[in-house]
């Protein structure tokens, strides 16, 4: 019983933290999947934006920490402009990235990128990538 209450408390705290970081309220989501239908990156994601919102509503942060959805998100806001509940899903995706990066976990390691790749890539893409994927 104590474990259940502790787990529920942690989930509620996780949801509140995500809401605070994103400035959005994930509980407003009604699971219509419009966001997934609009998303140009959905096929690259292991969980669709709708499923991510569902996991977020239950505070499943451990599961969310291991998925690629918010790293694949291109921050295009196509989902956000069409959400019938007015949720800026792109901000939720950014908040999920920040939660990982603030623990000093990089999604890509700059030291693992070869010198040849760095030489070939546009500098602006490198800078944007480092901003998005590294802490
Ligand atoms: S479009 Fe909005 S309400 Fe519908 S599933 Fe996505 S986040 Fe939820
Ligand atoms: S902001 Fe991200 S999740 Fe939303 S439609 Fe664009 S790529 Fe997909």
């Amino acid at each position: 019983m104590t474990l259940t209450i502790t787990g529920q408390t942690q989930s509620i705290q996780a949801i509140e933290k995500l809401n605070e970081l994103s400035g959005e309220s994930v509980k407003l989501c009604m699971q219509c999947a419009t966001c997934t239908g609009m998303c140009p990156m959905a096929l690259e994601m292991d969980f669709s934006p709708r499923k991510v919102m569902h996991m977020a509503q239950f505070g499943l942060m451990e599961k969310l920490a291991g998925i690629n959805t918010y790293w694949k998100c291109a921050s295009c806001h196509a989902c956000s402009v069409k959400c019938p509940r007015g949720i800026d899903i792109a901000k939720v995706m950014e908040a999920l990235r920040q939660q990982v990066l603030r623990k000093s976990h990089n999604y890509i390691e700059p030291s693992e990128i070869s010198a040849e790749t760095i030489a070939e890539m546009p500098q602006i893409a490198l800078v944007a990538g480092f901003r998005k994927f590294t802490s």
Side-chain angles (χ1 to χ4, degrees):
M1 189 64 171
T2 306
L3 277 175
T4 303
I5 291 171
T6 303
Q8 286 176 344
T9 304
Q10 287 174 344
S11 295
I12 291 167
Q13 288 172 344
I15 295 164
E16 286 173 350
K17 186 176 174 190
L18 183 61
N19 286 344
E20 185 185 338
L21 263 177
S22 65
E24 301 298 310
S25 177
V26 295
K27 75 176 181 192
L28 293 176
C29 173
M30 62 180 186
Q31 289 293 295
C32 68
T34 301
C35 48
T36 299
M38 294 303 299
C39 181
M41 299 300 291
L43 292 178
E44 303 293 325
M45 297 169 170
D46 41 19
F47 288 89
S48 68
R50 178 196 69 76
K51 287 180 181 169
V52 165
M53 294 301 291
H54 204 209
M55 287 190 270
Q57 287 179 312
F58 285 94
L60 303 178
M61 295 307 157
E62 281 186 20
K63 183 151 192 172
L64 282 165
I67 69 173
N68 75 3
T69 302
Y70 43 90
W71 301 113
K72 295 290 181 183
C73 169
S75 304
C76 68
H77 289 262
C79 52
S80 305
V81 297
K82 290 291 184 181
C83 174
R85 301 310 299 268
I87 304 169
D88 192 335
I89 302 132
K91 282 188 180 174
V92 176
M93 297 292 177
E94 171 63 15
L96 289 167
R97 286 194 292 271
Q98 286 303 317
Q99 286 196 325
V100 175
L101 296 174
R102 288 181 184 192
K103 292 177 182 163
S104 298
H105 295 155
N106 291 340
Y107 185 62
I108 60 167
E109 288 300 335
S111 61
E112 292 175 3
I113 304 173
S114 70
E116 292 78 21
T117 302
I118 288 178
E120 286 173 7
M121 288 183 72
Q123 290 299 304
I124 196 165
L126 276 173
V127 171
F130 290 155
R131 278 194 186 141
K132 179 176 177 182
F133 297 124
T134 63
S135 58

